[in-house]
Amino acid sequence: MKVCVIGGAGYIGSHAVYELIRDGHEVVVIDNLSTGKKEMVHKDAKFYLGDITIAENLKEIFKQECEIKPFDVVMHFAAKLIVPESVEQPLEYYYNNVEGVRIMLSVMKDFNIKNVVFSSTAAVYGEPEKEICEETDRTNPINPYGETKLASEKLIKWVCERYNMNYCIFRYFNVAGADESLEIGLNKDNLTHIVPVTVQTALGIRDKMIVFGNDYDTKDGTCVRDYIHVSDLAYAHVLGAKYLVNNNKSLLVNLGSNEGYSVLEIIKEVEKYYKVNYEIGERRAGDPAKLIASNNKAKELLGWTPKRNLSDIIKSDINYRIKIKD
């Protein structure tokens, strides 16, 4: 396959590129480097500096590449994704996350590219009505980030139905860890994800960390999330792209472990290696108490299950942070 990865210099996108190349595919990366880093792009991928919200930008790159060989699949990893920031900046989130998708789909239509893999989120479920979220559950986001992802999902479905295109939408939540090569991982300023924040605190990169609330209706009062190793998640995108090309039909699936861990359980796992200095703070805006995703449909349709557990996630993040610290 020839795959265009928009946002391929970011955390999840760069890991998807690595997995695509390991699987023998041709990869073109487009990224505006607003949060991604050029050095995260695999050396065997072709890189373009480009912005999904600028139609002419995308058209120019697609024209250049499709004259050589058309893309079989476009993957989207170009969203803004920090929940509290989305509450503070709803206009910016809607513009980047929804308008960017609209422009991407419009350019795909113009170049007759039929398959899109979209990186969505379990945040579209909002406060879940049962222990484990399933794809048929009611969607009711409680923050602008989740709303922009749900709006993008709906836009993709309508466009694909109208123009005879196929979509693979993945809903997932907390992604963590680093590639086994330790060449790439989550490396950016002002990290907000719980695993790297905890590891940074343990390694002394941060003085302390704040646990946002301990009065939720969970086993220990802290938020419970489903954690997936980034390489497991990235490989699912390879399987999703192949599914579209081979079956010529769409799918929407959760990617999860069917298990949830609380913030305090993450801290305890890291403390198997290093002490973590933390304190309890106020709740953050827009945080549901519990989000766990069922992976039954992903197993059934794609043959996908995560190969790595929470211990593997923590160890890989510690090793990556030690490497980039030195």
Side-chain angles (χ1 to χ4, degrees):
M1 297 183 296
K2 181 176 181 180
V3 184
C4 174
V5 182
I6 302 177
Y11 175 47
I12 298 173
S14 65
H15 283 80
V17 171
Y18 267 62
E19 295 300 331
L20 283 162
I21 287 171
R22 283 174 181 145
D23 205 51
H25 306 290
E26 181 183 350
V27 182
V28 173
V29 170
I30 302 173
D31 201 298
N32 67 2
L33 301 182
S34 59
T35 56
K37 296 178 186 290
K38 177 77 184 303
E39 57 267 28
M40 298 276 280
V41 178
H42 195 289
K43 62 180 176 54
D44 294 336
K46 188 185 287 189
F47 175 78
Y48 289 93
L49 183 64
D51 194 316
I52 194 172
T53 62
I54 303 171
E56 289 309 313
N57 218 193
L58 271 196
K59 284 178 186 173
E60 187 179 322
I61 296 166
F62 274 54
K63 183 173 187 297
Q64 195 170 326
E65 281 300 321
C66 291
E67 280 179 355
I68 304 166
K69 181 187 174 186
F71 292 120
D72 296 295
V73 181
V74 174
M75 291 188 181
H76 180 283
F77 297 97
K80 288 177 173 284
L81 47 70
I82 300 170
V83 169
E85 184 181 75
S86 78
V87 176
E88 295 298 319
Q89 301 176 12
L91 290 171
E92 291 88 342
Y93 268 65
Y94 268 84
Y95 180 73
N96 185 82
N97 292 4
V98 183
E99 176 64 2
V101 168
R102 187 197 68 78
I103 289 171
M104 175 190 75
L105 292 168
S106 176
V107 174
M108 285 179 64
K109 176 183 75 71
D110 290 346
F111 285 87
N112 199 32
I113 299 161
K114 294 296 186 185
N115 301 304
V116 59
V117 177
F118 181 66
S119 171
S120 191
T121 172
V124 299
Y125 297 116
E127 286 282 6
E129 295 167 338
K130 54 185 197 290
E131 281 286 302
I132 297 181
C133 298
E134 295 180 305
E135 292 85 356
T136 52
D137 289 355
R138 182 172 66 101
T139 50
N140 186 28
I142 60 171
N143 52 61
Y145 166 63
E147 285 282 8
T148 62
K149 284 293 194 178
L150 185 59
S152 297
E153 285 188 12
K154 290 179 177 178
L155 177 59
I156 288 167
K157 289 177 185 176
W158 285 116
V159 170
C160 287
E161 183 178 314
R162 169 64 182 84
Y163 296 107
N164 193 30
M165 296 159 68
N166 305 306
Y167 61 81
C168 173
I169 293 171
F170 286 126
R171 291 175 176 167
Y172 46 84
F173 205 79
N174 276 33
V175 185
D179 187 78
E180 60 187 9
S181 69
L182 300 183
E183 291 173 359
I184 54 172
L186 184 54
N187 179 14
K188 63 179 184 179
D189 298 330
N190 303 317
L191 288 170
T192 60
H193 296 71
I194 183 67
V195 170
V197 165
T198 307
V199 171
Q200 282 188 331
T201 308
L203 294 175
I205 298 166
R206 294 170 182 251
D207 293 333
K208 68 178 177 184
M209 64 176 285
I210 307 297
V211 175
F212 296 108
N214 66 345
D215 58 347
Y216 287 94
D217 184 18
T218 60
K219 48 193 163 184
D220 59 23
T222 62
C223 287
V224 169
R225 294 290 181 268
D226 189 330
Y227 295 87
I228 316 174
H229 193 288
V230 64
S231 297
D232 285 333
L233 186 87
Y235 187 64
H237 287 74
V238 179
L239 295 177
K242 286 179 172 179
Y243 181 93
L244 296 181
V245 170
N246 295 333
N247 295 282
N248 193 32
K249 59 182 181 182
S250 298
L251 72 160
L252 183 156
V253 298
N254 291 332
L255 296 177
S257 67
N258 281 5
E259 292 186 57
Y261 297 95
S262 73
V263 175
L264 290 181
E265 285 175 320
I266 297 296
I267 290 171
K268 284 175 187 169
E269 185 66 37
V270 175
E271 285 192 324
K272 289 179 181 177
Y273 306 93
Y274 303 96
K275 180 76 178 137
V276 177
N277 181 25
Y278 70 92
E279 66 181 48
I280 306 297
E282 295 294 314
R283 290 186 180 198
R284 291 188 306 187
D287 267 347
K290 189 181 292 186
L291 270 177
I292 304 170
S294 164
N295 63 18
N296 291 335
K297 201 170 170 187
K299 283 181 192 173
E300 178 193 333
L301 294 176
L302 300 175
W304 178 87
T305 51
K307 295 176 182 174
R308 301 161 183 88
N309 59 24
L310 182 65
S311 174
D312 298 324
I313 290 170
I314 298 294
K315 278 191 286 191
S316 70
D317 197 77
I318 288 173
N319 290 337
Y320 179 68
R321 289 209 186 277
I322 289 171
K323 181 191 173 192
I324 62 176
K325 184 184 175 190
D326 298 338

